[in-house]
């Protein structure tokens, strides 16, 4: 009976005793992970995360600065260490950390003027406005926006699968600023806004830069949020002892980071474990060495594997690791509203039309990425980004634009051994006279001058169609080579064409056009037998044109991949030629008298130049040129010029083994092939061969097609990229010559950009 009473007492009291025991059992401590900044050295965090995953450790919260903030932010929303590695290795980091894009991402009509000048100066109120010279972060923000799309509607970073925060620095106060809410790509772009490299970020009336300036190792921020066990991964700078501060650069470097170094050292006592990879041989700018940096992080973390496994077991003994709530994958977003922000000179409808986006429709991450790239490729903006926000059950897309000033002056120094020595300039004004338009004046101030004034007006909402008009004036020397390779006559050529085209762009890289052209040509003999009789030959014509162009080259200067093609059919409908004779000319030779003939004719021209990458440093060059004139009664009415390693004007077809514009002809069919090798980022060489058939210079007009002269030549070019423009030196020689070509070596030197 006594034992039965005791049993009842035990049964009644057991729930209370059990509850008391639960209350007194220690809860599972919160594990924090701190990832420091350090530029490219921050890739080491990925190697550490891989080891933590193997050890069975998952942080309950993450903080980071700069690159540590980017790695930590992406990890917190569900990207694993292996996925982060794949993302890093798939990027071209020299592009991601710049505002540069390949030429093939620029609109077709803007390609000739994109990154093709010595100096670009924005103009405001008639005065030069100094450029910022800083990177806006176009590429990195575009990448972050794409990666962070799954959490666009989650503004509280503590609600991520792993709560997250990153740190920036307030320039005005010098205090760290915690970023734990808002739009994640903005926060990540802010924490890495390195002063003097990237532009600052304005947020909530604060001017913010890279948090590494004052708080490169945000440990205390996790302590304040309840982290009890903290692992820190430090890839930042350390104080150098006095005996190692021997150079000005060493002293300057330590002075710039002294505050941040001292702050990081003050944070370290809060850590349970510090992992500091040995990155002494790898600089913060070595983004191309990501494999070695990640491996260094993994190698250092593996030294602590027994400690990490013991920590994981200890934590699990105090309570299970709760499963992560994965964020649903978002392949597309339904956009209810689209808003344009930041535009002052360019109308919102123009921006929206160019973007190709529509409200009330589903858009994928690729759609948004393409829209941003397409707008940036219009050459109208310093930066284009987007922001997605969910409000009242609707998703709003904000296209944020930082415009370039509507007036821009571009300049370039120009020299070549053909005789062009001077400078080039272009003055561009946007939306003058009419909206969605571009006015441009281009001048080549050299002995062989060339001036162009054009106006382009976009048509339609998508702005794929445009109306283009241009008037120009150009001067050049035109040789007339006779048997033996001697110049029999030399003419001064002055052309004043006016053209009007209706053109349609296809994507970024192709265009078709239908046009009307009024051409005026003046030829004045300078020496030779024609100069004895002829004062001047004037030719005027009206012609129609049907043309198509493609340009997928990756650069205007030393391209390594892509093609550039132009094809045109031009029937000259109304041709007038007037022969002005010298006073002493009473009876003129028949061949001179024929220079006054005129009549309708047809012209076909085709040009293609391609670069096929063989590997990262070499490309195969190839090209085909064909020019045909039919029914030309006067050889001076129209013609092609041949020679030189690069085109010297719209009539010129390059040909190695000849001087620029050495021959004129009415028909040509040329092929070329070459090998281009990049030696360094600035130096390259190419070995090229040209071969083909032409009609002999200024032949008697023929009604049938005859290509009766075969030529072949080769050349070696050395190129060097300078700040002021490319330098190219070419040595070439005829390999298969003719009576029209001297069999000697040609040398050509050029310096500067051409547009």
């Amino acid at each position: 009976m006594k034992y039965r009473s005791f049993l009842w007492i035990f049964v009644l009291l057991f729930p209370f005793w059990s509850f008391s025991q639960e209350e007194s059992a220690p809860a599972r401590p919160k594990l924090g992970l701190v990832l420091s900044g350090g530029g490219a050295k921050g890739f080491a965090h990925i190697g550490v995360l891989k080891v933590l995953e193997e050890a069975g450790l998952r942080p309950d919260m993450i903080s980071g600065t700069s690159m540590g903030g980017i790695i930590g932010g992406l990890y917190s929303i569900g990207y694993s260490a292996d996925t982060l590695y794949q993302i890093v290795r798939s990027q071209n980091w020299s592009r991601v950390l710049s505002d540069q894009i390949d030429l093939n991402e620029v609109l077709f009509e803007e390609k000739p003027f994109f990154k093709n000048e010595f100096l670009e100066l924005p103009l405001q109120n008639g005065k030069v406005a100094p450029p910022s010279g800083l990177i806006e972060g176009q590429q990195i923000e575009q990448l972050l926006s794409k990666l962070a799309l799954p959490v666009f509607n989650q503004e509280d970073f503590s609600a991520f699968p792993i709560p997250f925060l990153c740190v920036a620095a307030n320039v005005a106060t010098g205090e760290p600023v915690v970023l734990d809410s808002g739009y994640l790509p903005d926060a990540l772009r802010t924490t890495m806004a390195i002063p003097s490299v990237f532009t600052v970020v304005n947020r909530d009336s604060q001017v913010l830069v890279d948090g590494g300036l004052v708080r490169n190792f945000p440990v205390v921020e996790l302590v304040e949020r309840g982290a009890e066990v903290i692992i820190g991964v430090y890839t930042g700078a350390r104080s150098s002892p006095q005996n190692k501060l021997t150079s000005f650069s060493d002293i300057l470097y330590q002075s710039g980071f002294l505050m941040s170094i001292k702050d990081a050292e003050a944070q370290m006592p809060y850590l349970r474990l510090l992992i500091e990879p040995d990155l002494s041989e790898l600089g913060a700018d070595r983004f191309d060495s990501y494999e070695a940096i990640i491996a260094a992080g993994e190698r250092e973390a593996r030294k602590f594997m027994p400690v990490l496994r013991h920590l994981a077991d200890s934590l699990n003994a105090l309570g299970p690791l709760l499963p992560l709530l994965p964020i649903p994958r978002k392949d597309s977003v339904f956009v209810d509203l689209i808003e344009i922000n930041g535009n002052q000179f360019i109308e919102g409808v123009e921006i929206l039309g160019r973007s190709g986006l529509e409200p009330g429709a589903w858009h994928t991450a690729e759609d948004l990425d393409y829209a941003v790239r397409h707008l940036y490729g219009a050459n109208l903006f310093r930066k284009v980004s987007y922001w997605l926000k969910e409000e009242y059950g609707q998703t709003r897309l904000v296209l944020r634009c930082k415009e370039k000033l509507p007036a821009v002056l571009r300049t370039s120094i120009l020299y070549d051994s053909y005789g062009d020595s001077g400078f080039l300039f272009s003055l561009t004004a946007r939306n003058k006279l009419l909206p969605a338009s571009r006015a441009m004046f281009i001048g080549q101030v050299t002995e062989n001058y060339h001036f162009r004034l054009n106006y382009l007006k976009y048509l339609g909402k998508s702005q794929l169609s445009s109306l283009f008009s241009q008037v120009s004036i150009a001067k050049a020397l035109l040789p007339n080579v006779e048997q033996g390779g001697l110049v029999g006559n030399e003419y001064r050529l002055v052309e004043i064409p006016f053209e009007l085209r209706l053109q349609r762009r296809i994507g970024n890289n192709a265009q078709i056009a239908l046009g009307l052209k009024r051409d005026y040509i003046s030829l004045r003999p300078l020496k030779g037998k024609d100069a004895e009789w002829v004062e001047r030959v004037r030719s005027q014509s009206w012609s129609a044109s049907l043309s198509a162009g493609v340009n997928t080259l990756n650069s205007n200067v030393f391209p390594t991949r892509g093609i550039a093609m132009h094809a045109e059919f031009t029937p000259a409908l109304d041709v007038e030629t007037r022969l002005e004779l010298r006073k002493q000319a009473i009876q003129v030779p028949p061949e001179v008298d024929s220079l006054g003939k005129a009549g309708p004719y047809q012209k076909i021209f085709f040009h293609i130049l391609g670069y096929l990458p063989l590997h990262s440093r070499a490309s195969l060059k190839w090209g085909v040129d064909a020019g045909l004139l039919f029914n030309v009664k006067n050889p001076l009415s129209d013609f092609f010029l041949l020679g030189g390693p690069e085109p010297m004007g719209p009539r010129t077809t390059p040909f190695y083994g000849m001087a620029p514009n050495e021959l004129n002809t009415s028909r040509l069919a040329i092929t070329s092939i070459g090998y281009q090798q990049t030696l360094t980022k600035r130096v390259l060489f190419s070995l090229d061969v040209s071969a083909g058939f032409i009609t002999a210079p200024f032949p008697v007009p023929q009604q049938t097609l005859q290509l009766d002269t075969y030529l072949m030549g080769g050349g070696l070019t050395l190129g060097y990229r300078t700040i002021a423009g490319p330098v190219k030196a070419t040595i070439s020689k005829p390999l298969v010559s003719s009576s029209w070509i001297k069999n000697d070596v040609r040398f050509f030197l050029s310096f500067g950009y051409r547009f």
Side-chain angles (χ1 to χ4, degrees), residues 360-394:
W362 287 93
H363 293 293
T364 66
E366 287 69 26
D367 293 337
L368 299 173
D369 192 57
Y370 176 81
V372 169
R373 286 190 288 108
H374 193 67
L375 286 169
Y376 190 69
N379 209 16
L380 299 170
F381 306 99
R382 292 186 290 123
K383 181 182 174 184
V384 182
S385 62
Y386 65 85
W387 175 52
L388 286 160
K389 186 175 180 63
E390 197 170 82
E391 293 178 319
Y392 309 112
Q394 291 188 320

Coordinates of all heavy atoms in Angstrom, one line a residue, residues 360-394:
G360 N 1.8 44.4 -67.2 CA 0.8 43.4 -67.3 C 1.2 42.2 -68.0 O 0.4 41.6 -68.8
A361 N 2.5 41.8 -67.8 CA 3.0 40.6 -68.5 C 4.1 39.9 -67.7 O 4.6 40.5 -66.8 CB 3.6 41.0 -69.9
W362 N 4.3 38.6 -68.0 CA 5.4 37.9 -67.3 C 6.7 38.2 -67.9 O 6.8 38.3 -69.2 CB 5.1 36.4 -67.4 CG 4.0 35.9 -66.5 CD1 2.6 35.8 -66.9 CD2 4.1 35.6 -65.1 NE1 1.9 35.4 -65.8 CE2 2.7 35.2 -64.7 CE3 5.1 35.5 -64.2 CZ2 2.5 34.8 -63.4 CZ3 4.8 35.1 -62.9 CH2 3.5 34.7 -62.5
H363 N 7.7 38.4 -67.1 CA 9.1 38.7 -67.6 C 10.1 37.8 -66.9 O 10.0 37.7 -65.6 CB 9.4 40.1 -67.5 CG 8.6 41.1 -68.3 ND1 8.7 41.1 -69.7 CD2 7.7 42.0 -68.0 CE1 7.9 42.0 -70.2 NE2 7.3 42.6 -69.2
T364 N 10.9 37.1 -67.6 CA 11.9 36.3 -67.0 C 13.1 37.1 -66.5 O 13.2 38.3 -66.9 CB 12.4 35.2 -68.0 OG1 13.1 35.8 -69.1 CG2 11.2 34.4 -68.5
A365 N 14.0 36.5 -65.8 CA 15.3 37.2 -65.4 C 16.1 37.6 -66.6 O 16.7 38.6 -66.7 CB 16.1 36.3 -64.5
E366 N 16.0 36.7 -67.6 CA 16.7 37.0 -68.9 C 16.1 38.2 -69.6 O 16.8 39.0 -70.2 CB 16.7 35.8 -69.8 CG 17.7 34.6 -69.4 CD 17.2 33.9 -68.1 OE1 15.9 34.0 -67.8 OE2 18.0 33.4 -67.4
D367 N 14.8 38.3 -69.5 CA 14.1 39.5 -70.1 C 14.6 40.8 -69.5 O 14.9 41.8 -70.2 CB 12.6 39.4 -70.0 CG 12.0 38.2 -70.8 OD1 12.6 37.8 -71.8 OD2 10.9 37.8 -70.4
L368 N 14.6 40.8 -68.2 CA 15.0 42.0 -67.4 C 16.5 42.3 -67.7 O 16.9 43.4 -67.9 CB 14.8 41.8 -65.9 CG 13.3 41.5 -65.5 CD1 13.3 41.2 -64.0 CD2 12.5 42.7 -65.8
D369 N 17.3 41.2 -67.7 CA 18.7 41.4 -68.0 C 19.0 42.0 -69.4 O 19.8 42.9 -69.6 CB 19.5 40.1 -67.8 CG 21.0 40.2 -67.8 OD1 21.5 41.0 -66.9 OD2 21.7 39.6 -68.6
Y370 N 18.2 41.4 -70.4 CA 18.3 41.9 -71.8 C 17.9 43.4 -71.9 O 18.5 44.2 -72.6 CB 17.5 41.0 -72.7 CG 17.5 41.5 -74.1 CD1 18.6 41.3 -75.0 CD2 16.4 42.3 -74.6 CE1 18.6 41.7 -76.3 CE2 16.5 42.8 -75.9 CZ 17.5 42.5 -76.7 OH 17.5 43.0 -78.0
A371 N 16.8 43.7 -71.2 CA 16.3 45.1 -71.2 C 17.3 46.1 -70.7 O 17.6 47.1 -71.3 CB 15.0 45.2 -70.4
V372 N 18.0 45.7 -69.6 CA 19.0 46.6 -69.0 C 20.2 46.7 -70.0 O 20.7 47.8 -70.3 CB 19.5 46.0 -67.7 CG1 20.7 46.8 -67.2 CG2 18.4 46.2 -66.7
R373 N 20.7 45.6 -70.6 CA 21.8 45.6 -71.5 C 21.4 46.4 -72.7 O 22.3 47.1 -73.3 CB 22.2 44.2 -71.9 CG 22.9 43.5 -70.7 CD 23.6 42.2 -71.2 NE 22.5 41.1 -71.5 CZ 22.2 40.7 -72.7 NH1 22.8 41.2 -73.7 NH2 21.3 39.8 -72.8
H374 N 20.2 46.3 -73.2 CA 19.8 47.0 -74.4 C 19.7 48.5 -74.2 O 20.2 49.2 -75.0 CB 18.4 46.5 -74.8 CG 18.0 46.9 -76.2 ND1 18.6 46.4 -77.3 CD2 17.0 47.7 -76.6 CE1 18.0 46.9 -78.4 NE2 17.0 47.7 -78.0
L375 N 19.2 48.9 -73.0 CA 19.2 50.3 -72.7 C 20.6 50.9 -72.6 O 20.9 52.0 -73.1 CB 18.4 50.6 -71.5 CG 16.9 50.4 -71.6 CD1 16.2 50.4 -70.3 CD2 16.3 51.6 -72.5
Y376 N 21.5 50.1 -71.9 CA 22.8 50.6 -71.7 C 23.6 50.6 -73.0 O 24.4 51.5 -73.2 CB 23.6 49.7 -70.7 CG 24.9 50.2 -70.2 CD1 25.0 51.3 -69.4 CD2 26.1 49.6 -70.6 CE1 26.2 51.8 -69.0 CE2 27.3 50.1 -70.2 CZ 27.4 51.2 -69.4 OH 28.6 51.6 -69.0
G377 N 23.3 49.7 -73.9 CA 23.9 49.7 -75.2 C 23.5 50.8 -76.1 O 24.1 51.0 -77.2
A378 N 22.5 51.6 -75.7 CA 22.0 52.7 -76.5 C 23.0 53.9 -76.4 O 22.8 54.9 -77.1 CB 20.6 53.1 -76.1
N379 N 24.0 53.8 -75.5 CA 25.0 54.8 -75.3 C 24.4 56.1 -74.8 O 25.0 57.2 -75.1 CB 25.7 55.0 -76.7 CG 27.2 55.5 -76.4 OD1 27.7 55.3 -75.4 ND2 27.8 56.0 -77.5
L380 N 23.3 56.0 -74.1 CA 22.6 57.2 -73.6 C 22.8 57.3 -72.1 O 22.5 58.4 -71.5 CB 21.1 57.1 -73.9 CG 20.7 57.1 -75.3 CD1 19.2 56.7 -75.4 CD2 21.0 58.4 -76.0
F381 N 23.3 56.2 -71.4 CA 23.2 56.2 -70.0 C 24.6 55.9 -69.4 O 25.4 55.1 -70.0 CB 22.2 55.2 -69.5 CG 20.8 55.4 -70.0 CD1 20.4 54.6 -71.1 CD2 20.0 56.3 -69.5 CE1 19.1 54.8 -71.6 CE2 18.7 56.5 -70.0 CZ 18.3 55.8 -71.1
R382 N 24.9 56.4 -68.2 CA 26.1 56.0 -67.5 C 25.8 54.7 -66.7 O 26.7 54.0 -66.4 CB 26.5 57.1 -66.5 CG 27.0 58.4 -67.1 CD 27.5 59.4 -66.1 NE 26.4 60.0 -65.4 CZ 26.3 60.0 -64.0 NH1 27.2 59.3 -63.3 NH2 25.3 60.5 -63.4
K383 N 24.5 54.5 -66.4 CA 24.1 53.3 -65.7 C 22.7 53.1 -65.8 O 21.9 54.0 -65.9 CB 24.5 53.4 -64.2 CG 24.2 52.2 -63.3 CD 24.5 52.5 -61.9 CE 24.1 51.4 -61.0 NZ 24.3 51.7 -59.6
V384 N 22.3 51.8 -65.9 CA 20.9 51.4 -66.0 C 20.7 50.2 -65.1 O 21.5 49.2 -65.1 CB 20.4 51.0 -67.4 CG1 19.0 50.6 -67.4 CG2 20.7 52.1 -68.4
S385 N 19.8 50.2 -64.2 CA 19.5 49.1 -63.3 C 18.0 49.0 -63.1 O 17.2 49.9 -63.5 CB 20.2 49.3 -61.9 OG 19.7 50.4 -61.3
Y386 N 17.5 48.0 -62.4 CA 16.1 47.9 -62.1 C 15.9 47.5 -60.6 O 16.8 47.0 -60.0 CB 15.4 46.9 -63.0 CG 15.9 45.4 -62.9 CD1 15.3 44.6 -61.9 CD2 16.8 44.9 -63.7 CE1 15.7 43.3 -61.8 CE2 17.2 43.6 -63.6 CZ 16.7 42.8 -62.7 OH 17.0 41.5 -62.5
W387 N 14.7 47.8 -60.2 CA 14.3 47.5 -58.8 C 12.9 46.9 -58.8 O 12.0 47.5 -59.5 CB 14.4 48.8 -58.0 CG 13.9 48.7 -56.6 CD1 14.2 47.7 -55.6 CD2 12.9 49.5 -55.9 NE1 13.6 47.9 -54.5 CE2 12.8 49.0 -54.6 CE3 12.2 50.6 -56.3 CZ2 11.9 49.6 -53.7 CZ3 11.3 51.2 -55.4 CH2 11.2 50.7 -54.1
L388 N 12.7 45.8 -58.2 CA 11.4 45.2 -58.2 C 10.8 45.3 -56.7 O 11.5 45.1 -55.8 CB 11.5 43.7 -58.5 CG 11.7 43.4 -60.0 CD1 12.2 42.0 -60.2 CD2 10.3 43.5 -60.8
K389 N 9.5 45.7 -56.7 CA 8.9 45.9 -55.4 C 7.5 45.4 -55.4 O 6.7 45.7 -56.4 CB 8.9 47.4 -55.0 CG 8.4 47.7 -53.6 CD 8.6 49.1 -53.2 CE 8.1 49.5 -51.8 NZ 8.9 48.8 -50.8
E390 N 7.1 44.6 -54.4 CA 5.7 44.1 -54.3 C 5.0 45.0 -53.3 O 5.3 45.1 -52.1 CB 5.8 42.7 -53.8 CG 4.5 41.9 -54.1 CD 4.6 40.4 -53.9 OE1 4.5 40.0 -52.7 OE2 4.8 39.7 -54.9
E391 N 3.9 45.6 -53.7 CA 3.1 46.5 -52.9 C 1.6 46.2 -53.2 O 1.2 46.2 -54.4 CB 3.4 47.9 -53.2 CG 4.7 48.4 -52.7 CD 5.0 49.8 -53.0 OE1 4.6 50.3 -54.1 OE2 5.6 50.5 -52.2
Y392 N 0.8 46.0 -52.1 CA -0.6 45.9 -52.3 C -1.0 44.8 -53.3 O -1.9 45.0 -54.1 CB -1.3 47.2 -52.7 CG -0.9 48.4 -51.8 CD1 0.0 49.4 -52.3 CD2 -1.2 48.4 -50.5 CE1 0.4 50.4 -51.5 CE2 -0.8 49.5 -49.6 CZ 0.0 50.5 -50.2 OH 0.4 51.5 -49.4
G393 N -0.2 43.7 -53.3 CA -0.6 42.6 -54.2 C -0.1 42.8 -55.6 O -0.5 42.0 -56.5
Q394 N 0.6 43.9 -55.9 CA 1.1 44.1 -57.2 C 2.6 44.3 -57.3 O 3.2 44.7 -56.3 CB 0.4 45.4 -57.8 CG -1.0 45.3 -58.1 CD -1.5 46.6 -58.8 OE1 -1.1 47.7 -58.5 NE2 -2.4 46.4 -59.8

